Amino acid sequence: MVRPGTAPKAGAEALRAKAETAPTATADAVPPDNWVPRPSSSPSISPLAVSVSQRVSNTYVQPQSAVGRIFFSNQAETEFYTCSGTSITSTTRNAVWTAAHCLHQGSGGEAGWFANHVFIPAYSNGSDPFGWYFGLSIIASNDWINGGDLKDSDMGAMIVVPEDGLDLQGRVGGWGYTFGGGTAFTNARSYGYPVIGYNRPDSDFAEGEYMMFCEGNIVDAANLNPLDDRLRMNCDMGGGASGGPMATGVGTSGGPRIVGVNSHRNVDSNGNYNNNYLFSANHGSTAVSIINAVNS
């Protein structure tokens, strides 16, 4: 799907956000330009019922049209990868929120940045209904790029440019966010494009060609251990879903608010997933710092 060389590489000028003192950052979701509300715009399911991910039946409508698939490569363009991301409300109107490990390998400083990022909102089985958005600048924290911190730093942002001139937020809207270190949220959803999952055949995921979702409560991953404030959901999505949003308010009048992103799973000694827990880094001061960098 990725065509090498079609997207600008993230160079040495990519922003690196540092932790700031601001404790919180919030914003409301915004609809796309000329949006006409539809009563069935999000999947309708029984509350708290989905820990085995299901396909999103229609990716083209709000709010899930703001979620998309990310394709990218290493700097040498010898290896190619896929992640997930979400158009997030911002002053740039062209920002994608995702996992830091989809932007940088988590070590090596400047040499660790990935390249050739392409974000395709509402991607579904090869279709690109809202076009391609190419990575221009990528933002991750110093704690991630120097140490791969999964607990507090596996999140980042990408500023994109459209292939045809219409900004991302105008086309698919932007999800709001609540960043401030919370560890418990009810009626949350996670979205992504998993290639594999826990206790399911790979064929269920069709090599990441379809948007999937889970629904449930987000809980503190370490029973209020002050040294580990990660978020946890029961959800079977694995590789490829990384960077997809964990959000509250999906399907409500207030719209979705990102509170985390799909980051990692527990594995056994052979590298296989060993339970149904999906984790996010805590979206506290580092997330606040990154979104402030985006909006500055």
Side-chain angles (χ1 to χ4, degrees):
M1 184 65 193
V2 173
R3 297 178 291 191
T6 60
K9 291 184 178 180
E13 299 304 314
L15 297 174
R16 296 185 301 275
K18 297 181 179 179
E20 298 174 349
T21 58
T24 62
T26 63
D28 294 330
V30 295
D33 296 346
N34 303 316
W35 178 54
V36 177
R38 300 182 183 184
S40 59
S41 60
S42 63
S44 177
I45 58 172
S46 300
L48 311 182
V50 182
S51 62
V52 177
S53 56
Q54 299 180 11
R55 286 186 186 179
V56 174
S57 59
N58 187 350
T59 66
Y60 303 170
V61 295
Q62 279 284 297
Q64 56 264 23
S65 58
V67 179
R69 199 172 184 189
I70 300 173
F71 297 91
F72 58 103
S73 74
N74 62 357
Q75 291 188 20
E77 296 183 348
T78 57
E79 297 181 7
F80 298 88
Y81 316 99
T82 180
C83 272
S84 305
T86 313
S87 173
I88 191 170
T89 300
S90 72
T91 57
T92 71
R93 296 179 59 86
N94 279 302
V96 176
W97 196 257
T98 188
H101 74 259
C102 302
L103 305 174
H104 188 282
Q105 66 185 14
S107 63
E110 291 297 330
W113 294 106
F114 294 123
N116 296 316
H117 288 85
V118 179
F119 176 67
I120 306 179
Y123 179 93
S124 182
N125 197 25
S127 67
D128 53 352
F130 301 104
W132 292 27
Y133 288 79
F134 300 117
L136 179 64
S137 296
I138 50 180
I139 307 170
S141 73
N142 284 325
D143 285 343
W144 177 262
I145 70 170
N146 293 320
D149 169 35
L150 286 172
K151 292 181 180 179
D152 297 298
S153 301
D154 192 12
M155 79 287 294
M158 177 170 62
I159 310 303
V160 296
V161 292
E163 60 181 340
D164 61 0
L166 183 61
D167 65 73
L168 179 64
Q169 196 165 296
R171 178 161 280 158
V172 298
W175 284 22
Y177 51 86
T178 300
F179 299 158
T183 59
F185 303 90
T186 59
N187 300 327
R189 286 197 183 177
S190 171
Y191 287 84
Y193 289 85
V195 177
I196 56 176
Y198 170 67
N199 203 28
R200 292 177 72 173
D202 293 351
S203 58
D204 282 4
F205 300 102
E207 298 185 346
E209 287 296 294
Y210 296 96
M211 187 189 300
M212 310 283 282
F213 77 101
C214 293
E215 182 171 78
N217 290 334
I218 292 173
V219 300
D220 188 295
N223 296 319
L224 303 181
N225 177 346
L227 300 179
D228 185 354
D229 286 329
R230 289 176 300 157
L231 313 181
R232 191 186 78 205
M233 283 188 71
N234 286 324
C235 182
D236 66 355
M237 293 192 296
S242 292
M246 289 186 182
T248 60
V250 178
T252 69
S253 59
R257 284 176 175 253
I258 298 169
V259 296
V261 294
N262 305 327
S263 170
H264 59 281
R265 304 189 66 92
N266 290 328
V267 297
D268 62 22
S269 59
N270 295 316
N272 299 313
Y273 301 148
N274 60 8
N275 56 40
N276 203 39
Y277 293 159
L278 177 60
F279 296 94
S280 168
N282 184 274
H283 275 45
S285 61
T286 300
V288 172
S289 174
I290 292 170
I291 197 64
N292 285 348
V294 168
N295 288 326
S296 67

PDB file of all heavy atoms in Angstrom, residues 37-63:
ATOM      1  N   PRO A  37     -25.499  15.819  10.554  1.00  0.00           N
ATOM      2  CA  PRO A  37     -25.547  14.705  11.505  1.00  0.00           C
ATOM      3  C   PRO A  37     -26.409  13.557  11.007  1.00  0.00           C
ATOM      4  O   PRO A  37     -27.435  13.760  10.365  1.00  0.00           O
ATOM      5  CB  PRO A  37     -26.159  15.343  12.763  1.00  0.00           C
ATOM      6  CG  PRO A  37     -25.909  16.805  12.611  1.00  0.00           C
ATOM      7  CD  PRO A  37     -25.970  17.073  11.138  1.00  0.00           C
ATOM      8  N   ARG A  38     -25.972  12.348  11.317  1.00  0.00           N
ATOM      9  CA  ARG A  38     -26.729  11.153  10.981  1.00  0.00           C
ATOM     10  C   ARG A  38     -27.001  10.397  12.276  1.00  0.00           C
ATOM     11  O   ARG A  38     -26.104  10.214  13.098  1.00  0.00           O
ATOM     12  CB  ARG A  38     -25.943  10.259  10.031  1.00  0.00           C
ATOM     13  CG  ARG A  38     -25.605  10.939   8.719  1.00  0.00           C
ATOM     14  CD  ARG A  38     -24.865   9.996   7.794  1.00  0.00           C
ATOM     15  NE  ARG A  38     -24.480  10.652   6.555  1.00  0.00           N
ATOM     16  CZ  ARG A  38     -23.887  10.042   5.538  1.00  0.00           C
ATOM     17  NH1 ARG A  38     -23.644   8.743   5.613  1.00  0.00           N
ATOM     18  NH2 ARG A  38     -23.556  10.707   4.462  1.00  0.00           N
ATOM     19  N   PRO A  39     -28.213   9.933  12.479  1.00  0.00           N
ATOM     20  CA  PRO A  39     -28.540   9.306  13.764  1.00  0.00           C
ATOM     21  C   PRO A  39     -27.802   8.007  14.032  1.00  0.00           C
ATOM     22  O   PRO A  39     -27.641   7.614  15.170  1.00  0.00           O
ATOM     23  CB  PRO A  39     -30.053   9.058  13.645  1.00  0.00           C
ATOM     24  CG  PRO A  39     -30.333   9.054  12.182  1.00  0.00           C
ATOM     25  CD  PRO A  39     -29.373  10.033  11.580  1.00  0.00           C
ATOM     26  N   SER A  40     -27.324   7.315  13.012  1.00  0.00           N
ATOM     27  CA  SER A  40     -26.641   6.038  13.208  1.00  0.00           C
ATOM     28  C   SER A  40     -25.170   6.151  12.850  1.00  0.00           C
ATOM     29  O   SER A  40     -24.601   5.298  12.197  1.00  0.00           O
ATOM     30  CB  SER A  40     -27.288   4.963  12.348  1.00  0.00           C
ATOM     31  OG  SER A  40     -27.235   5.325  10.976  1.00  0.00           O
ATOM     32  N   SER A  41     -24.521   7.231  13.312  1.00  0.00           N
ATOM     33  CA  SER A  41     -23.161   7.511  12.882  1.00  0.00           C
ATOM     34  C   SER A  41     -22.101   6.686  13.583  1.00  0.00           C
ATOM     35  O   SER A  41     -20.946   6.705  13.186  1.00  0.00           O
ATOM     36  CB  SER A  41     -22.848   8.995  13.088  1.00  0.00           C
ATOM     37  OG  SER A  41     -22.973   9.347  14.447  1.00  0.00           O
ATOM     38  N   SER A  42     -22.429   5.973  14.656  1.00  0.00           N
ATOM     39  CA  SER A  42     -21.449   5.115  15.308  1.00  0.00           C
ATOM     40  C   SER A  42     -22.059   3.740  15.544  1.00  0.00           C
ATOM     41  O   SER A  42     -23.278   3.605  15.630  1.00  0.00           O
ATOM     42  CB  SER A  42     -20.990   5.723  16.638  1.00  0.00           C
ATOM     43  OG  SER A  42     -22.070   5.831  17.535  1.00  0.00           O
ATOM     44  N   PRO A  43     -21.209   2.704  15.619  1.00  0.00           N
ATOM     45  CA  PRO A  43     -21.741   1.357  15.789  1.00  0.00           C
ATOM     46  C   PRO A  43     -22.635   1.261  17.013  1.00  0.00           C
ATOM     47  O   PRO A  43     -22.313   1.764  18.078  1.00  0.00           O
ATOM     48  CB  PRO A  43     -20.472   0.507  15.955  1.00  0.00           C
ATOM     49  CG  PRO A  43     -19.392   1.306  15.326  1.00  0.00           C
ATOM     50  CD  PRO A  43     -19.754   2.736  15.552  1.00  0.00           C
ATOM     51  N   SER A  44     -23.767   0.604  16.872  1.00  0.00           N
ATOM     52  CA  SER A  44     -24.704   0.453  17.976  1.00  0.00           C
ATOM     53  C   SER A  44     -24.566  -0.946  18.564  1.00  0.00           C
ATOM     54  O   SER A  44     -24.773  -1.938  17.868  1.00  0.00           O
ATOM     55  CB  SER A  44     -26.138   0.666  17.483  1.00  0.00           C
ATOM     56  OG  SER A  44     -27.063   0.446  18.523  1.00  0.00           O
ATOM     57  N   ILE A  45     -24.155  -1.013  19.834  1.00  0.00           N
ATOM     58  CA  ILE A  45     -23.974  -2.289  20.506  1.00  0.00           C
ATOM     59  C   ILE A  45     -24.456  -2.158  21.930  1.00  0.00           C
ATOM     60  O   ILE A  45     -24.733  -1.066  22.417  1.00  0.00           O
ATOM     61  CB  ILE A  45     -22.498  -2.730  20.505  1.00  0.00           C
ATOM     62  CG1 ILE A  45     -21.626  -1.664  21.189  1.00  0.00           C
ATOM     63  CG2 ILE A  45     -22.001  -2.996  19.111  1.00  0.00           C
ATOM     64  CD1 ILE A  45     -20.211  -2.087  21.396  1.00  0.00           C
ATOM     65  N   SER A  46     -24.554  -3.277  22.620  1.00  0.00           N
ATOM     66  CA  SER A  46     -24.910  -3.241  24.035  1.00  0.00           C
ATOM     67  C   SER A  46     -23.739  -2.675  24.826  1.00  0.00           C
ATOM     68  O   SER A  46     -22.583  -2.971  24.529  1.00  0.00           O
ATOM     69  CB  SER A  46     -25.233  -4.654  24.521  1.00  0.00           C
ATOM     70  OG  SER A  46     -26.311  -5.188  23.802  1.00  0.00           O
ATOM     71  N   PRO A  47     -23.998  -1.833  25.826  1.00  0.00           N
ATOM     72  CA  PRO A  47     -22.916  -1.236  26.602  1.00  0.00           C
ATOM     73  C   PRO A  47     -22.008  -2.288  27.227  1.00  0.00           C
ATOM     74  O   PRO A  47     -22.460  -3.321  27.703  1.00  0.00           O
ATOM     75  CB  PRO A  47     -23.654  -0.434  27.673  1.00  0.00           C
ATOM     76  CG  PRO A  47     -25.002  -0.173  27.100  1.00  0.00           C
ATOM     77  CD  PRO A  47     -25.311  -1.378  26.265  1.00  0.00           C
ATOM     78  N   LEU A  48     -20.704  -2.012  27.197  1.00  0.00           N
ATOM     79  CA  LEU A  48     -19.708  -2.814  27.894  1.00  0.00           C
ATOM     80  C   LEU A  48     -19.698  -4.266  27.436  1.00  0.00           C
ATOM     81  O   LEU A  48     -19.451  -5.175  28.213  1.00  0.00           O
ATOM     82  CB  LEU A  48     -19.945  -2.749  29.405  1.00  0.00           C
ATOM     83  CG  LEU A  48     -20.127  -1.341  29.988  1.00  0.00           C
ATOM     84  CD1 LEU A  48     -20.304  -1.418  31.490  1.00  0.00           C
ATOM     85  CD2 LEU A  48     -18.961  -0.446  29.655  1.00  0.00           C
ATOM     86  N   ALA A  49     -19.968  -4.504  26.144  1.00  0.00           N
ATOM     87  CA  ALA A  49     -20.170  -5.878  25.697  1.00  0.00           C
ATOM     88  C   ALA A  49     -19.068  -6.409  24.801  1.00  0.00           C
ATOM     89  O   ALA A  49     -19.110  -7.571  24.445  1.00  0.00           O
ATOM     90  CB  ALA A  49     -21.500  -5.970  24.961  1.00  0.00           C
ATOM     91  N   VAL A  50     -18.107  -5.582  24.396  1.00  0.00           N
ATOM     92  CA  VAL A  50     -17.207  -5.994  23.329  1.00  0.00           C
ATOM     93  C   VAL A  50     -15.757  -5.983  23.797  1.00  0.00           C
ATOM     94  O   VAL A  50     -15.111  -4.947  23.845  1.00  0.00           O
ATOM     95  CB  VAL A  50     -17.358  -5.085  22.094  1.00  0.00           C
ATOM     96  CG1 VAL A  50     -16.433  -5.560  20.977  1.00  0.00           C
ATOM     97  CG2 VAL A  50     -18.786  -5.091  21.603  1.00  0.00           C
ATOM     98  N   SER A  51     -15.238  -7.145  24.193  1.00  0.00           N
ATOM     99  CA  SER A  51     -13.806  -7.277  24.450  1.00  0.00           C
ATOM    100  C   SER A  51     -13.147  -8.101  23.353  1.00  0.00           C
ATOM    101  O   SER A  51     -11.928  -8.132  23.242  1.00  0.00           O
ATOM    102  CB  SER A  51     -13.555  -7.922  25.816  1.00  0.00           C
ATOM    103  OG  SER A  51     -14.086  -9.227  25.860  1.00  0.00           O
ATOM    104  N   VAL A  52     -13.958  -8.799  22.553  1.00  0.00           N
ATOM    105  CA  VAL A  52     -13.504  -9.463  21.334  1.00  0.00           C
ATOM    106  C   VAL A  52     -13.858  -8.526  20.189  1.00  0.00           C
ATOM    107  O   VAL A  52     -15.022  -8.313  19.881  1.00  0.00           O
ATOM    108  CB  VAL A  52     -14.188 -10.834  21.165  1.00  0.00           C
ATOM    109  CG1 VAL A  52     -13.763 -11.474  19.847  1.00  0.00           C
ATOM    110  CG2 VAL A  52     -13.841 -11.746  22.341  1.00  0.00           C
ATOM    111  N   SER A  53     -12.850  -7.941  19.573  1.00  0.00           N
ATOM    112  CA  SER A  53     -13.076  -6.829  18.647  1.00  0.00           C
ATOM    113  C   SER A  53     -13.961  -7.226  17.473  1.00  0.00           C
ATOM    114  O   SER A  53     -13.938  -8.361  17.003  1.00  0.00           O
ATOM    115  CB  SER A  53     -11.741  -6.291  18.139  1.00  0.00           C
ATOM    116  OG  SER A  53     -10.972  -7.309  17.532  1.00  0.00           O
ATOM    117  N   GLN A  54     -14.731  -6.247  17.020  1.00  0.00           N
ATOM    118  CA  GLN A  54     -15.640  -6.418  15.897  1.00  0.00           C
ATOM    119  C   GLN A  54     -15.303  -5.398  14.810  1.00  0.00           C
ATOM    120  O   GLN A  54     -14.769  -4.328  15.098  1.00  0.00           O
ATOM    121  CB  GLN A  54     -17.087  -6.208  16.343  1.00  0.00           C
ATOM    122  CG  GLN A  54     -17.550  -7.184  17.409  1.00  0.00           C
ATOM    123  CD  GLN A  54     -18.993  -6.944  17.818  1.00  0.00           C
ATOM    124  OE1 GLN A  54     -19.722  -6.184  17.179  1.00  0.00           O
ATOM    125  NE2 GLN A  54     -19.420  -7.594  18.887  1.00  0.00           N
ATOM    126  N   ARG A  55     -15.646  -5.743  13.584  1.00  0.00           N
ATOM    127  CA  ARG A  55     -15.430  -4.812  12.479  1.00  0.00           C
ATOM    128  C   ARG A  55     -16.408  -3.647  12.567  1.00  0.00           C
ATOM    129  O   ARG A  55     -17.580  -3.836  12.891  1.00  0.00           O
ATOM    130  CB  ARG A  55     -15.604  -5.502  11.131  1.00  0.00           C
ATOM    131  CG  ARG A  55     -14.466  -6.410  10.751  1.00  0.00           C
ATOM    132  CD  ARG A  55     -14.647  -6.934   9.334  1.00  0.00           C
ATOM    133  NE  ARG A  55     -13.614  -7.925   9.020  1.00  0.00           N
ATOM    134  CZ  ARG A  55     -13.525  -8.576   7.871  1.00  0.00           C
ATOM    135  NH1 ARG A  55     -14.420  -8.336   6.910  1.00  0.00           N
ATOM    136  NH2 ARG A  55     -12.560  -9.461   7.666  1.00  0.00           N
ATOM    137  N   VAL A  56     -15.921  -2.460  12.235  1.00  0.00           N
ATOM    138  CA  VAL A  56     -16.784  -1.300  12.070  1.00  0.00           C
ATOM    139  C   VAL A  56     -17.464  -1.435  10.713  1.00  0.00           C
ATOM    140  O   VAL A  56     -16.796  -1.570   9.682  1.00  0.00           O
ATOM    141  CB  VAL A  56     -15.973   0.004  12.143  1.00  0.00           C
ATOM    142  CG1 VAL A  56     -16.835   1.209  11.817  1.00  0.00           C
ATOM    143  CG2 VAL A  56     -15.334   0.156  13.521  1.00  0.00           C
ATOM    144  N   SER A  57     -18.766  -1.410  10.711  1.00  0.00           N
ATOM    145  CA  SER A  57     -19.501  -1.697   9.478  1.00  0.00           C
ATOM    146  C   SER A  57     -19.409  -0.578   8.451  1.00  0.00           C
ATOM    147  O   SER A  57     -19.470  -0.819   7.250  1.00  0.00           O
ATOM    148  CB  SER A  57     -20.973  -1.981   9.799  1.00  0.00           C
ATOM    149  OG  SER A  57     -21.569  -0.867  10.445  1.00  0.00           O
ATOM    150  N   ASN A  58     -19.272   0.671   8.911  1.00  0.00           N
ATOM    151  CA  ASN A  58     -19.207   1.810   7.994  1.00  0.00           C
ATOM    152  C   ASN A  58     -18.176   2.793   8.519  1.00  0.00           C
ATOM    153  O   ASN A  58     -18.431   3.518   9.485  1.00  0.00           O
ATOM    154  CB  ASN A  58     -20.567   2.475   7.863  1.00  0.00           C
ATOM    155  CG  ASN A  58     -20.588   3.550   6.789  1.00  0.00           C
ATOM    156  OD1 ASN A  58     -19.536   3.935   6.264  1.00  0.00           O
ATOM    157  ND2 ASN A  58     -21.758   4.046   6.449  1.00  0.00           N
ATOM    158  N   THR A  59     -17.013   2.816   7.904  1.00  0.00           N
ATOM    159  CA  THR A  59     -15.947   3.722   8.357  1.00  0.00           C
ATOM    160  C   THR A  59     -16.127   5.144   7.842  1.00  0.00           C
ATOM    161  O   THR A  59     -15.427   6.052   8.282  1.00  0.00           O
ATOM    162  CB  THR A  59     -14.575   3.210   7.887  1.00  0.00           C
ATOM    163  OG1 THR A  59     -14.507   3.280   6.453  1.00  0.00           O
ATOM    164  CG2 THR A  59     -14.335   1.781   8.351  1.00  0.00           C
ATOM    165  N   TYR A  60     -17.059   5.355   6.905  1.00  0.00           N
ATOM    166  CA  TYR A  60     -17.113   6.626   6.188  1.00  0.00           C
ATOM    167  C   TYR A  60     -17.878   7.725   6.924  1.00  0.00           C
ATOM    168  O   TYR A  60     -17.920   8.867   6.463  1.00  0.00           O
ATOM    169  CB  TYR A  60     -17.753   6.440   4.806  1.00  0.00           C
ATOM    170  CG  TYR A  60     -17.077   5.438   3.915  1.00  0.00           C
ATOM    171  CD1 TYR A  60     -17.670   5.027   2.734  1.00  0.00           C
ATOM    172  CD2 TYR A  60     -15.828   4.906   4.239  1.00  0.00           C
ATOM    173  CE1 TYR A  60     -17.056   4.100   1.893  1.00  0.00           C
ATOM    174  CE2 TYR A  60     -15.213   3.980   3.410  1.00  0.00           C
ATOM    175  CZ  TYR A  60     -15.830   3.586   2.252  1.00  0.00           C
ATOM    176  OH  TYR A  60     -15.226   2.671   1.427  1.00  0.00           O
ATOM    177  N   VAL A  61     -18.537   7.392   8.025  1.00  0.00           N
ATOM    178  CA  VAL A  61     -19.367   8.375   8.718  1.00  0.00           C
ATOM    179  C   VAL A  61     -18.759   8.726  10.067  1.00  0.00           C
ATOM    180  O   VAL A  61     -17.941   8.002  10.621  1.00  0.00           O
ATOM    181  CB  VAL A  61     -20.816   7.848   8.905  1.00  0.00           C
ATOM    182  CG1 VAL A  61     -21.499   7.671   7.565  1.00  0.00           C
ATOM    183  CG2 VAL A  61     -20.824   6.540   9.687  1.00  0.00           C
ATOM    184  N   GLN A  62     -19.193   9.850  10.599  1.00  0.00           N
ATOM    185  CA  GLN A  62     -18.749  10.300  11.905  1.00  0.00           C
ATOM    186  C   GLN A  62     -19.304   9.395  12.996  1.00  0.00           C
ATOM    187  O   GLN A  62     -20.435   8.904  12.883  1.00  0.00           O
ATOM    188  CB  GLN A  62     -19.214  11.743  12.138  1.00  0.00           C
ATOM    189  CG  GLN A  62     -18.335  12.782  11.469  1.00  0.00           C
ATOM    190  CD  GLN A  62     -17.044  12.968  12.230  1.00  0.00           C
ATOM    191  OE1 GLN A  62     -17.017  13.396  13.385  1.00  0.00           O
ATOM    192  NE2 GLN A  62     -15.942  12.634  11.581  1.00  0.00           N
ATOM    193  N   PRO A  63     -18.524   9.199  14.093  1.00  0.00           N
ATOM    194  CA  PRO A  63     -17.203   9.791  14.322  1.00  0.00           C
ATOM    195  C   PRO A  63     -16.034   8.948  13.830  1.00  0.00           C
ATOM    196  O   PRO A  63     -14.892   9.415  13.813  1.00  0.00           O
ATOM    197  CB  PRO A  63     -17.160   9.900  15.848  1.00  0.00           C
ATOM    198  CG  PRO A  63     -17.913   8.699  16.306  1.00  0.00           C
ATOM    199  CD  PRO A  63     -19.038   8.517  15.308  1.00  0.00           C
TER     200      PRO A  63
END
